Amino acid sequence: MAVSWDEWEVPTQGQPRAEDYAFDLDRTLSAVVAVTARVPTDAFTAETLGTERSGNGVLIREDGIVLTIGYLITEAEEVWLTTVDGRVVPGHVIGIDQNTGFGLVQALDALNVTALKLGDSTRVMPGERVLVGGAGGRTKSVTAKVLARQEFAGYWEYLLEDAFFTAPAHPHWGGTALIGPKGDLLGIGSLQLQHQTPNGKIAPMNMMVPIEFLEPILEQILDQSDRSPSRPWLGVFVSEDDDKVLVVGLAGNGPAKRAGLREGDGILAVDGNAIDSLSGFYRRLWALGDAGVDVPLTLEREGDVFDVRISSGDRRRFLKMPRLH
C-alpha cells in the first residue's frame, strides 16, 4: 500500500476496453474511489498496518455508502475518498466486520458517481472472465480471470470459507472491485498472493472476498446493531509449515503475548485435539465458545512439549473505535 493510487498505470495490454463489455465501462468504473486513511500512532494496528493507508473502495448505495476492505480503515481517525475526476470527499468509518474483512465508509459529501449494483457471486465459477476495477478508471483496472474459488486461511486468525482467486493480479489490490460481465459487483480485493502458472512460473494473483458474504451483515454494520459475541482471539500470527502450525509473531500486548507464547512455538493441539493446519487451528479455537473463553493449547518449544491455558480476548476491544463526525 506504499504506492499512491495515482502514480502508476496498468500496462495497456492489461487494461479493459469499452468494446469488450455490454455495460458502460467508464460509468461502472467511476463507482470505484480511492480510499486514504490516517491512523493514530498509538493505534493497536499501527505497527503492523502502518498509520498512512491507501487503497480502493466501491460506492454501493446512492446515500454515500462505500464498501472497502477493512484493514485499510481499521482504527482510522481520518478517511478521504477521491473520485475518478479528482474530487476529494471526507468520510468516516461506519464499521468493520472482522469475520469477512469487509469495511464500510460513509461519504460526508456527494461523490456524484453512480453506485455499483451488488451481483450474485455464488454463480461465479473458475475460468470466468472478470474485471478488477481500481480507483482512476480504465488505466487503473485489470482484465482478469477467476483461477479458483476455495477456502483461505490467513495468518492473522482469519478464515474465509470460500474466496475468489484471480489473475493477472491488480498491483494496488486493496479494496478493488471485482466486476462481473453484467457490470455488477461480485467481490472486494483483499490480498496479493502467488500461484504457479501452467508453464511452471510463479506469478502474482489476487484474493477477493465474495460479495455474497456482505448481505447477511450489511444492515447490522450500517446501524451498528450487531451485539453478537465475538470469536475468541489470541493475538497470534501463525503459519503452516509441513503440517505444523507455527507462531511467527504476536499482536501487541494481546492474550498470547501476556500468556508467554513466543515466536517459533509450535501449536500441536487445542483442548487436546491435534491440529495440522491453520484452518483446523481456527475451527478448534472458535468451537470453544465466545471471546473470553479459556483456550487450552499444547505447545512445542525447542523440543519440549507443554500445556498452556490462555484467556482469549475480543479483538474489537483492542482497537480504537471510529469517531462519528
Side-chain angles (χ1 to χ4, degrees), residues 51-90:
T51 58
E52 303 287 338
R53 306 174 193 171
S54 62
N56 310 271
V58 187
L59 182 69
I60 60 169
R61 294 193 354 178
E62 301 298 340
D63 57 357
I65 303 300
V66 172
L67 176 65
T68 186
I69 198 69
Y71 62 74
L72 291 177
I73 57 172
T74 296
E75 300 185 282
E77 62 180 6
E78 290 184 11
V79 178
W80 299 93
L81 308 171
T82 306
T83 64
V84 67
D85 61 2
R87 292 184 63 250
V88 180
V89 172

Side-chain angles (χ1 to χ4, degrees), residues 252-311:
N253 191 33
K257 186 172 184 178
R258 293 201 299 262
L261 268 68
R262 303 177 188 171
E263 291 184 23
D265 286 349
I267 303 176
L268 305 181
V270 177
D271 196 23
N273 297 290
I275 58 170
D276 58 8
S277 67
L278 292 189
S279 58
F281 170 46
Y282 298 150
R283 289 189 175 102
R284 290 291 186 186
L285 169 63
W286 298 334
L288 293 176
D290 300 329
V293 68
D294 282 352
V295 179
L297 298 180
T298 302
L299 303 179
E300 180 181 17
R301 178 184 298 164
E302 299 177 349
D304 293 330
V305 176
F306 59 97
D307 294 326
V308 65
R309 184 176 291 268
I310 303 176
S311 179

Side-chain angles (χ1 to χ4, degrees), residues 152-158 190-191 207 233 236-238 282 315:
F152 172 78
Y155 65 88
W156 62 96
E157 297 182 58
Y158 175 80
S190 177
L191 298 173
M207 188 276 276
W233 177 76
V236 290
F237 300 132
V238 285
Y282 298 150
R315 191 195 311 246

Side-chain angles (χ1 to χ4, degrees), residues 102 118-119 210-220:
F102 286 132
L118 303 186
I211 205 68
E212 66 205 64
F213 296 127
L214 179 65
E215 185 177 0
I217 61 173
L218 178 57
E219 293 304 322
Q220 292 177 346

